C-alpha cells in the first residue's frame, strides 16, 4: 500500500531553514557507534512515554549502521542481535548522516510512526513534525518559537494527541515565553 506523505517536501524545506538558523547547534559523530549511543539515549528516555507500544519495553538499544547513498532511514521492525536481544535499526548515509540532526529525525520515525505503519497516517505528518520540533528544542536547543513560526509560514502542520508530548512541548514553549 502506497502511503501519502503530503508534508515531506515542506518538512525538508523547513528543516533546511532550521539548520541554517542554528548551524552551530548540531553535533557530529565520528562513527556509527557514537550515533548508536546517541540514538539509544533518545530511545531509552522516550520509548515508553510518547506513543507507547508494548514491544518497546523489550527493546533496549538502537543500532546505527552506515549506508551508501544520500538517504538515512529508520526500519519499521525490530531485529535480534547475536545474544537474541531485540534492537531498533537505523541506517545513516555515509555522505551526511552522521550528525545529531539526522539521528533525531530518524528517532522521531522510530517513536512516532508506529501509528503510520497501520496505514492511518503519513510518515512526516503533524505528529511526527511536532515530535521532531520537540526533540530539536530538547536535545539541540533549537529555538522552539522560531521553529513554530517557520512551520506556520510554510503551512507545515504540527499537532499531536499524545498528552505527554503536548505537555513537554508546551512546557518548553512557555519557558521560552517567560524568559
Amino acid at each position: 500500500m502506497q502511503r501519502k506523505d503530503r508534508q515531506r517536501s515542506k518538512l525538508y524545506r523547513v528543516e533546511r531553514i532550521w539548520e541554517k538558523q542554528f548551524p552551530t547547534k548540531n553535533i557530529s559523530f565520528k562513527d556509527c557507534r557514537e550515533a548508536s549511543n546517541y540514538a539509544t539515549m533518545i530511545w531509552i528516555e522516550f520509548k515508553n512515554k510518547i506513543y507507547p507500544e508494548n514491544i518497546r519495553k523489550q527493546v533496549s538499544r538502537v543500532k546505527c549502521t552506515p549506508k551508501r547513498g544520500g538517504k538515512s532511514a529508520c526500519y519499521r521492525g525490530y531485529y535480534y542481535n547475536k545474544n537474541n536481544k531485540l534492537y531498533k535499526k537505523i541506517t545513516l548515509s555515509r555522505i551526511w548522516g552522521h550528525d545529531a540532526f539526522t539521528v533525531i529525525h530518524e528517532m522521531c520515525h522510530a517513536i512516532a510512526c508506529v501509528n503510520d505503519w497501520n496505514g492511518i497516517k503519513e510518515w512526516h505528518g503533524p505528529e511526527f513534525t511536532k515530535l521532531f520540533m520537540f526533540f530539536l528544542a530538547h536535545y539541540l536547543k533549537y529555538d522552539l518559537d522560531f521553529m513554530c513560526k517557520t512551520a506556520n509560514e510554510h503551512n507545515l502542520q504540527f499537532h499531536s494527541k499524545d498528552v505527554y508530548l503536548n505537555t513537554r512541548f508546551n512546557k518548553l514553549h512557555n519557558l521560552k515565553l517567560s524568559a
Side-chain angles (χ1 to χ4, degrees), residues 53-171:
E53 185 184 90
N54 280 345
I55 188 116
R56 290 184 185 176
K57 292 178 176 93
Q58 302 168 23
V59 181
S60 60
R61 286 217 39 89
V62 177
K63 183 177 180 182
C64 298
T65 57
K67 176 183 178 182
R68 290 181 187 225
K71 292 187 177 184
S72 297
C74 175
Y75 286 73
R76 297 170 68 157
Y78 300 98
Y79 300 85
Y80 286 97
N81 65 14
K82 46 189 161 186
N83 297 329
N84 215 25
K85 296 205 177 197
L86 288 168
Y87 68 91
K88 190 78 186 143
K89 180 178 176 182
I90 291 176
T91 55
L92 298 174
S93 165
R94 290 183 180 166
I95 299 170
W96 53 67
H98 285 79
D99 59 58
F101 190 91
T102 304
V103 170
I104 288 170
H105 180 107
E106 299 309 329
M107 288 308 301
C108 289
H109 284 302
I111 292 172
C113 292
V114 168
N115 297 329
D116 293 350
W117 299 328
N118 297 328
I120 299 167
K121 299 175 184 133
E122 51 188 307
W123 294 112
H124 297 92
E127 292 186 40
F128 170 89
T129 304
K130 186 165 191 174
L131 182 60
F132 186 46
M133 292 167 67
F134 170 69
F135 279 0
L136 290 174
H138 181 74
Y139 288 109
L140 299 182
K141 307 299 181 221
Y142 277 34
D143 184 319
L144 198 54
D145 290 341
F146 178 80
M147 288 191 294
C148 290
K149 180 179 172 247
T150 307
N152 286 329
E153 287 171 356
H154 289 83
N155 198 25
L156 182 65
Q157 295 186 14
F158 55 98
H159 57 78
S160 171
K161 293 178 182 172
D162 188 83
V163 174
Y164 181 83
L165 174 58
N166 289 333
T167 303
R168 292 289 304 267
F169 187 93
N170 292 338
K171 186 176 178 185

Side-chain angles (χ1 to χ4, degrees), residues 29-37 63-66 92 98:
F29 303 117
K30 67 179 181 200
D31 57 21
C32 281
R33 174 176 262 166
E34 271 190 8
S36 293
N37 289 339
K63 183 177 180 182
C64 298
T65 57
L92 298 174
H98 285 79

